[in-house]
């Protein structure tokens, strides 16, 4: 790599971001565009799983959050093990950013915070997570180019909606403002998530891949989303066995309003759209005067921002 190209790459990774022009020149045949289009439907399904919807509303059981971190640890440990093995593969090497992206060590610190120094003896890989892990190892050993799909699905999501989830979890679980328990969401090696995502997509689009291989990558990315949904569904089922220790820090949903539809945020939004502005303003002021209402409002705004962030990726 020339000195000029190295300098340009370093500037982008540090947030200088001269890749906006490349973004405007994207075509439907670019891998990043194919992946975004090909996973749109399954991505929406993943966002609408009950576990994710509850999370975005701030309705988080601490024990379930901890189990989610365990699932993430095993997933990233597997993916980053295969990435290290294949870091010189011509179809993955341009996407090798261990300092900027790798997460399993941060997750280990989060688990130590939640479970203590002997956390490894207290956790195990769940069945749904194991299926995800097995697939990652399979592609890493048999068809390493497919690691691109798994890296894209996980890391790009972490740099987008993951930042919103961090704020929601910190408020709902009353975690320290210094970041303990949430290091997974903190990317210290990336100064500008937007610029880095542009760099990453540009590197993906420059990979020398034929149309057939790009199609396989889209299929694999869809599988990655499906594996994630299986983990979410598993966590949801586990959550049903826990005592109700949900922190009421999220938005009310239909069926949880005691029959009063005016308590539903979606009803308020509908009133605003139909001209009931005064009503909504009164309702909003009443809610925001209450401390819990302030958290509810912040969680709702954070959720909407997270969904928008992914699509603006």
């Amino acid at each position: 790599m020339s000195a000029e190209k190295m300098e340009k790459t370093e500037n982008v990774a540090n947030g200088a971001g001269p890749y906006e022009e490349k973004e405007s020149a994207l075509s439907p045949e670019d891998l990043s565009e194919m992946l975004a289009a090909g996973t749109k439907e399954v991505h929406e399904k993943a966002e609408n799983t009950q576990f994710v919807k509850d999370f975005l509303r701030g309705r988080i059981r601490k024990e379930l959050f901890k189990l989610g971190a365990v699932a993430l640890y095993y997933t990233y440990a597997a993916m980053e093990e295969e990435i290290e093995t294949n870091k010189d593969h011509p179809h993955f090497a341009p996407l090798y950013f261990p300092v900027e992206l790798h997460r399993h060590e941060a997750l280990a610190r989060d688990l130590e915070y939640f479970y203590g120094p002997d956390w490894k003896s207290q956790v195990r890989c769940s069945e749904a997570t194991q299926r995800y892990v097995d697939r990652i190892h399979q592609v890493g050993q048999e068809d390493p180019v497919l690691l691109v799909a798994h890296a894209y699905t996980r890391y790009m999501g972490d740099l987008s909606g993951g930042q919103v989830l961090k704020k929601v979890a910190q408020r709902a679980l009353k975690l320290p403002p210094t970041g303990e328990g949430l290091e997974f969401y903190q990317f210290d090696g990336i100064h500008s998530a937007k610029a880095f995502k542009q760099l990453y997509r540009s590197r993906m689009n420059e990979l020398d891949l034929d149309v057939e291989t790009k199609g396989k990558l889209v299929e694999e990315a869809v599988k990655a989303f499906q594996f994630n949904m299986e983990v979410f569904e598993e966590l949801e089922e586990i959550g049903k066995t826990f005592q109700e220790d949900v922190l009421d820090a999220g938005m009310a949903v239909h069926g949880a309003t005691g029959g009063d539809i005016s308590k539903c945020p979606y009803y308020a939004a509908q009133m605003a759209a139909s001209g009931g502005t005064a009503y909504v303003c009164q309702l909003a002021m009443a809610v925001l005067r209450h401390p819990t209402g302030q958290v509810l409002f912040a969680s709702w705004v954070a959720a909407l921002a997270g969904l928008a962030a992914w699509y603006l990726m």
Side-chain angles (χ1 to χ4, degrees), residues 147-219:
L147 283 174
V148 173
H150 289 277
Y152 162 83
T153 302
R154 291 286 355 157
Y155 292 131
M156 293 298 97
D158 299 336
L159 288 169
S160 299
Q163 300 311 295
V164 175
L165 296 179
K166 173 186 177 182
K167 294 176 183 178
V168 174
Q170 193 166 46
R171 291 190 188 100
L173 299 177
K174 296 181 173 60
L175 294 173
T178 46
E180 287 91 335
L182 295 168
E183 290 192 43
F184 165 69
Y185 300 102
Q186 184 64 38
F187 290 81
D188 293 328
I190 297 176
H191 302 297
S192 167
K194 179 181 178 181
F196 186 86
K197 286 186 291 184
Q198 289 176 350
L199 168 64
Y200 199 88
R201 286 196 297 270
S202 177
R203 292 284 187 89
M204 287 173 57
N205 294 336
E206 291 171 358
L207 294 174
D208 186 15
L209 303 172
D210 56 33
V211 174
E212 181 182 357
T213 302
K214 290 179 181 179
K216 288 172 61 179
L217 280 167
V218 172
E219 292 174 1

Side-chain angles (χ1 to χ4, degrees), residues 29-202:
E29 291 76 31
D30 284 325
L31 180 58
S32 66
E33 294 298 285
M34 292 178 66
L35 284 167
T39 60
K40 186 174 186 294
E41 182 179 350
V42 71
H43 182 205
E44 290 175 351
K45 287 181 180 179
E47 285 177 344
N48 283 290
T49 58
Q50 193 61 46
F51 178 81
V52 173
K53 288 193 291 186
D54 284 346
F55 197 137
L56 287 170
R57 292 167 186 160
R59 295 179 58 80
I60 310 170
R61 293 173 172 85
K62 188 172 184 180
E63 288 303 313
L64 209 56
F65 182 82
K66 290 162 59 175
L67 290 178
V70 171
L72 288 171
Y73 171 78
Y74 284 109
T75 300
Y76 280 88
M79 185 169 71
E80 288 163 7
E81 178 184 342
E82 295 303 334
I83 286 174
E84 285 297 323
T85 300
N86 293 283
K87 63 184 179 182
D88 296 321
H89 191 285
H91 291 152
F92 193 88
L95 302 177
Y96 181 63
F97 291 99
V99 174
E100 293 85 352
L101 293 177
H102 283 193
R103 299 285 85 203
H104 79 278
E105 291 182 359
L107 282 160
R109 291 191 293 273
D110 287 341
L111 294 179
E112 183 173 0
Y113 171 79
F114 286 119
Y115 290 98
D118 64 338
W119 64 269
K120 286 187 177 180
S121 66
Q122 300 183 52
V123 303
R124 66 176 184 84
C125 188
S126 69
E127 292 182 7
T129 305
Q130 189 63 56
R131 290 192 291 271
Y132 194 179
V133 165
D134 290 344
R135 178 59 183 174
I136 291 171
H137 283 309
Q138 181 183 3
V139 302
Q141 295 163 17
E142 298 177 4
D143 197 357
V145 68
L146 296 183
L147 283 174
V148 173
H150 289 277
Y152 162 83
T153 302
R154 291 286 355 157
Y155 292 131
M156 293 298 97
D158 299 336
L159 288 169
S160 299
Q163 300 311 295
V164 175
L165 296 179
K166 173 186 177 182
K167 294 176 183 178
V168 174
Q170 193 166 46
R171 291 190 188 100
L173 299 177
K174 296 181 173 60
L175 294 173
T178 46
E180 287 91 335
L182 295 168
E183 290 192 43
F184 165 69
Y185 300 102
Q186 184 64 38
F187 290 81
D188 293 328
I190 297 176
H191 302 297
S192 167
K194 179 181 178 181
F196 186 86
K197 286 186 291 184
Q198 289 176 350
L199 168 64
Y200 199 88
R201 286 196 297 270
S202 177

